Amino acid sequence: MGQTTIKDVARRAGFSFQTVSLVLNHPEKVARTTRVTIEAAMRDLDFVPSLAARALRKKPSRSIACVSCLGAETADDGPDPAPEEDQGLVLQTFAQVTDQHGYTLILRRCRSDDPESMARIASLVSEARVDGLVVFAERRDDPLIALLQAKRVPFVVFGLDVPGTHCAARADRDAIHEAVTYLARTGSRAIGFLGGARAAERLRGYRDALAEADLPLRADLVVACDWTAAGGYRAALALLDRPARPDAIVAANDRVAFGVLKALHDRGVRVPGEIRVVGFDNVAQGAYAIPSLTSIAVPTLDMVRFAFATLVAVIEGTRPPDDLARKLFSTRLVLRESTAAQAQP
Amino acid sequence: MGQTTIKDVARRAGFSFQTVSLVLNHPEKVARTTRVTIEAAMRDLDFVPSLAARALRKKPSRSIACVSCLGAETADDGPDPAPEEDQGLVLQTFAQVTDQHGYTLILRRCRSDDPESMARIASLVSEARVDGLVVFAERRDDPLIALLQAKRVPFVVFGLDVPGTHCAARADRDAIHEAVTYLARTGSRAIGFLGGARAAERLRGYRDALAEADLPLRADLVVACDWTAAGGYRAALALLDRPARPDAIVAANDRVAFGVLKALHDRGVRVPGEIRVVGFDNVAQGAYAIPSLTSIAVPTLDMVRFAFATLVAVIEGTRPPDDLARKLFSTRLVLRESTAAQAQP
């Protein structure tokens, strides 16, 4: 059957489709009784106006917005929450790619616990200020995603694999699985994991790899921490103070790993001799850590290019709305000094 | 006398100022002969239309753009030039501050060696897509700045002290002066400097401080390098291979300093025992370097707030165009392990 259209609504309400269109785009120009009748017909038919179609009828803005979702957790972190810092390089890559294609990039933040904040994001497209959105969400159930789907706003999710959406996702589970499997095969027996609520997929990779390597999952080796160097420093000290120390630590990202290296250094623990360390993101600086840091390289530029190309195809209508573009990008474990194989078993 | 206005043009051409306004805003609606006459009057009087005034007559966009100038030097650096990475935190701070004030932030890049690229930036305001610009330039004579001045586009320069413009500048010269003076007072006698063409102001601070401390300016201790960890690593090795080693190194930024620490570690040189190291920017990670890194803290949030408030005042006309808002922001030397005073003189 397909989606209910503006013509179905017009037929049901007994008005021309031009009048229905006016209700959608300039309701203030329509007599109240007419508007009420047409809105009732929309409800009866479960009609959802296509924002993409509405925006296209206007002049395309050739702009897209990158929207960072701030959950209650991040919003409370003060003026400079760490998760956003992580996006610096990604946003600059988006600025570069959009620029190369003659598009303008807009940066917005969305408080997903605030309906008004979410409505303002959706209205960026209905007001034709941008043609589509790239959404940086931390959780699959972020309410902004459901809102954008309901309003049929063209959008792509970046970094996270959200069912039912176009997305450029990182294979987080596989990334950590590879790192933990490598550590287990090369002699580590007590592998710690520093993450937190945001690291669910990574934690899954950790658990799966331990099970496959016949290593026990020890609750005392899994520590929640902020995704900052300070968080890694504190979490590593906490691990060292426990009765049975780990012989390897996998950190949620490189920043956390730098904090871990510092904590081990301050306590006189040799890396990799006594404890091996793995980061995530493979930031340029990791090669210059002391010791240089084994990490997981993410193909950021490829992911940005895919997300942008997908969004443009959706905006321009060359990709049908139900043909979801979903790609899980593989990472690569980059071995450096911090995980050199141990002489002892 | 003041600037030529639209009324002067109208008087000279013999038309109403409304017609002159039409030529400026909707030339297609004006008869050709009328337009030619009015345009001739504009040329005769050296009339420059105020883009701010024109943009204001339209609906304000409540958007501003951060424009990164890519010089020939940076443009050739490939897909991911280091100078832009430096802007990650600053851009995110702009995203946060604009968001708090209900403004939208747009990111654009400008190739200052390409007139078309510059014209597109200027047209962001004339087309009322943004109300004003924040310009990230590396050089005071960046041609974009002159173009924006000529077209009377509302803009603020960020990070650099450019005469004749509104600017939020970092006191680069004073920052390095303070660091070198501190090193000299606490025993360093052969202080190296890692910078490059972009570090002219910092180099001036270095020279002035050496002169005041009665230390010779040694050409062999000043090394140009990329502003990356890799650049710092290579430059530090070059310094170590020279006949007379430095006993301290001041790096262009923290990233460079991390590369220096790694190079000294790899060569078995003790920090701070044999060589002391200072960075610039005071990134969060510096406290977790091995040893922790002395660095120069920049009040980024204050600078962003000042630049934004200035730009809004210019856009809204509450600040007269000739009343330049120019502020030089002081930095702060943050002492950590990498410059602990030496026991030996």
Side-chain angles (χ1 to χ4, degrees):
Chain A
M1 271 305 292
Q3 200 86 35
T4 305
T5 70
I6 193 170
K7 292 191 180 175
D8 300 325
V9 174
R11 208 172 301 123
R12 171 100 175 192
F15 286 95
S16 70
F17 77 84
Q18 289 88 343
T19 309
V20 177
S21 171
L22 212 55
V23 168
L24 288 172
N25 292 302
H26 299 284
E28 72 286 358
K29 295 185 181 173
V30 183
R32 196 179 158 280
T33 51
T34 307
R35 207 179 67 225
V36 168
T37 307
I38 289 174
E39 284 171 353
M42 287 178 182
R43 276 193 302 275
D44 292 347
L45 295 171
D46 284 333
F47 172 76
V48 181
S50 162
L51 288 178
R54 284 168 62 187
L56 266 183
R57 260 172 270 138
K58 306 179 189 176
K59 191 180 164 203
S61 65
R62 286 188 76 80
S63 297
I64 66 166
C66 281
V67 179
S68 305
C69 295
L70 312 177
E73 184 192 341
T74 36
D76 287 340
D77 269 356
D80 219 57
E84 288 186 85
E85 270 183 47
D86 292 343
Q87 290 170 12
L89 182 61
V90 175
L91 293 178
Q92 289 189 304
T93 308
F94 266 105
Q96 175 189 323
V97 169
T98 50
D99 196 69
Q100 283 163 354
H101 291 82
Y103 269 73
T104 294
L105 179 65
I106 285 176
L107 297 191
R108 287 297 288 261
R109 294 142 54 101
C110 179
R111 302 201 166 259
S112 298
D113 51 355
D114 174 1
E116 273 195 38
S117 174
M118 293 198 293
R120 279 196 297 274
I121 296 300
S123 74
L124 285 172
V125 175
S126 60
E127 293 168 1
R129 295 185 64 169
V130 306
D131 302 329
L133 309 175
V134 179
V135 176
F136 294 77
E138 310 230 321
R139 291 160 33 207
R140 288 183 172 145
D141 60 351
D142 191 291
L144 179 67
I145 293 173
L147 177 73
L148 297 178
Q149 285 176 317
K151 289 194 176 278
R152 294 212 264 153
V153 172
F155 74 99
V156 174
V157 176
F158 191 90
L160 196 66
D161 170 23
V162 178
T165 69
H166 304 284
C167 58
R170 224 176 13 236
D172 275 354
R173 181 257 169 213
D174 294 353
I176 295 294
H177 183 275
E178 181 183 7
V180 173
T181 300
Y182 172 79
L183 290 170
R185 282 203 188 134
T186 51
S188 295
R189 287 289 161 266
I191 303 168
F193 181 78
L194 304 192
R198 293 166 65 206
E201 277 299 285
R202 300 182 185 190
L203 193 55
R204 196 160 65 83
Y206 169 74
R207 284 181 175 147
D208 291 352
L210 287 186
E212 288 167 26
D214 283 328
L215 292 175
L217 175 64
R218 285 172 45 187
D220 62 318
L221 292 185
V222 179
V223 180
C225 74
D226 294 343
W227 289 29
T228 62
Y233 187 83
R234 283 190 300 263
L237 291 185
L239 270 180
L240 292 180
D241 287 339
R242 291 182 186 178
R245 285 185 176 186
D247 58 14
I249 296 176
V250 176
N253 68 14
D254 287 347
R255 235 191 298 271
V256 171
F258 294 138
V260 170
L261 290 179
K262 181 69 170 176
L264 299 181
H265 176 267
D266 285 358
R267 287 289 182 93
V269 178
R270 285 172 296 113
V271 180
E274 294 173 78
I275 297 185
R276 301 157 85 197
V277 179
V278 178
F280 199 117
D281 285 341
N282 196 36
V283 301
Q285 228 165 281
Y288 300 90
I290 297 173
S292 63
L293 181 67
T294 291
S295 189
I296 292 161
V298 178
T300 300
L301 183 59
D302 291 345
M303 288 174 68
V304 167
R305 283 185 175 143
F306 175 82
F308 178 74
T310 299
L311 188 56
V312 168
V314 172
I315 289 167
E316 295 181 346
T318 55
R319 174 178 282 277
D322 54 352
D323 177 17
L324 293 178
R326 301 170 50 70
K327 191 161 171 184
L328 203 60
F329 285 82
S330 296
T331 59
R332 188 169 51 87
L333 184 65
V334 180
L335 298 176
R336 296 203 185 90
E337 295 165 353
S338 68
T339 55
Q342 295 151 286
Q344 65 201 51
Chain B
M1 269 305 290
Q3 201 86 32
T4 306
T5 70
I6 193 170
K7 293 191 179 175
D8 300 326
V9 174
R11 207 173 300 123
R12 172 98 176 195
F15 287 96
S16 71
F17 76 85
Q18 288 90 341
T19 308
V20 177
S21 171
L22 213 55
V23 168
L24 288 172
N25 292 303
H26 299 283
E28 73 284 359
K29 296 185 179 170
V30 182
R32 195 179 158 280
T33 50
T34 306
R35 207 179 68 225
V36 168
T37 306
I38 289 173
E39 284 171 352
M42 287 178 181
R43 277 193 302 275
D44 292 347
L45 294 171
D46 284 332
F47 172 76
V48 181
S50 160
L51 287 178
R54 284 168 64 186
L56 266 183
R57 260 173 268 137
K58 305 179 189 177
K59 192 181 163 201
S61 65
R62 286 189 76 81
S63 298
I64 66 165
C66 281
V67 179
S68 305
C69 295
L70 312 177
E73 183 193 342
T74 36
D76 287 339
D77 269 356
D80 219 58
E84 288 187 85
E85 272 183 46
D86 293 344
Q87 290 170 11
L89 183 62
V90 175
L91 293 178
Q92 289 190 304
T93 308
F94 266 105
Q96 176 191 322
V97 169
T98 50
D99 197 69
Q100 284 164 353
H101 291 81
Y103 268 74
T104 294
L105 179 65
I106 286 177
L107 297 190
R108 287 297 289 263
R109 294 141 56 98
C110 179
R111 300 199 167 263
S112 298
D113 51 356
D114 174 2
E116 275 195 36
S117 174
M118 292 197 294
R120 280 196 297 275
I121 296 300
S123 75
L124 285 172
V125 175
S126 60
E127 293 168 1
R129 295 186 64 168
V130 306
D131 302 330
L133 308 174
V134 179
V135 175
F136 294 76
E138 309 229 321
R139 289 161 33 209
R140 288 183 173 146
D141 60 351
D142 192 293
L144 179 66
I145 293 174
L147 178 72
L148 298 177
Q149 286 176 317
K151 289 196 176 277
R152 294 213 264 154
V153 171
F155 74 100
V156 174
V157 176
F158 191 89
L160 196 66
D161 170 24
V162 178
T165 69
H166 304 285
C167 59
R170 222 178 15 237
D172 275 355
R173 181 257 170 213
D174 293 353
I176 295 294
H177 183 274
E178 181 184 7
V180 173
T181 299
Y182 171 80
L183 290 170
R185 281 204 188 134
T186 51
S188 295
R189 286 290 162 265
I191 303 168
F193 180 77
L194 304 192
R198 293 167 64 205
E201 277 299 285
R202 300 181 186 190
L203 193 56
R204 197 160 64 85
Y206 169 74
R207 284 182 176 148
D208 292 352
L210 287 185
E212 288 168 26
D214 282 327
L215 292 175
L217 175 64
R218 284 171 46 187
D220 62 319
L221 292 185
V222 178
V223 180
C225 74
D226 294 342
W227 289 29
T228 62
Y233 187 84
R234 283 191 300 264
L237 291 186
L239 269 180
L240 292 180
D241 288 339
R242 292 184 183 175
R245 286 187 174 184
D247 57 15
I249 296 176
V250 176
N253 69 13
D254 287 346
R255 237 192 299 272
V256 170
F258 294 138
V260 170
L261 290 179
K262 180 70 171 176
L264 299 182
H265 176 266
D266 285 358
R267 287 289 182 94
V269 177
R270 286 174 295 112
V271 179
E274 294 172 79
I275 298 184
R276 302 156 85 195
V277 179
V278 178
F280 199 117
D281 284 342
N282 196 35
V283 301
Q285 228 165 279
Y288 300 91
I290 298 172
S292 63
L293 181 67
T294 291
S295 189
I296 291 161
V298 178
T300 300
L301 184 58
D302 291 345
M303 289 174 68
V304 168
R305 283 185 176 144
F306 174 83
F308 178 74
T310 299
L311 187 56
V312 168
V314 172
I315 289 166
E316 295 182 346
T318 55
R319 173 177 284 275
D322 55 351
D323 177 17
L324 293 177
R326 302 170 50 70
K327 191 161 172 185
L328 203 61
F329 285 82
S330 295
T331 59
R332 187 169 52 86
L333 184 65
V334 180
L335 299 176
R336 297 204 185 89
E337 294 164 352
S338 68
T339 55
Q342 294 151 288
Q344 65 202 51

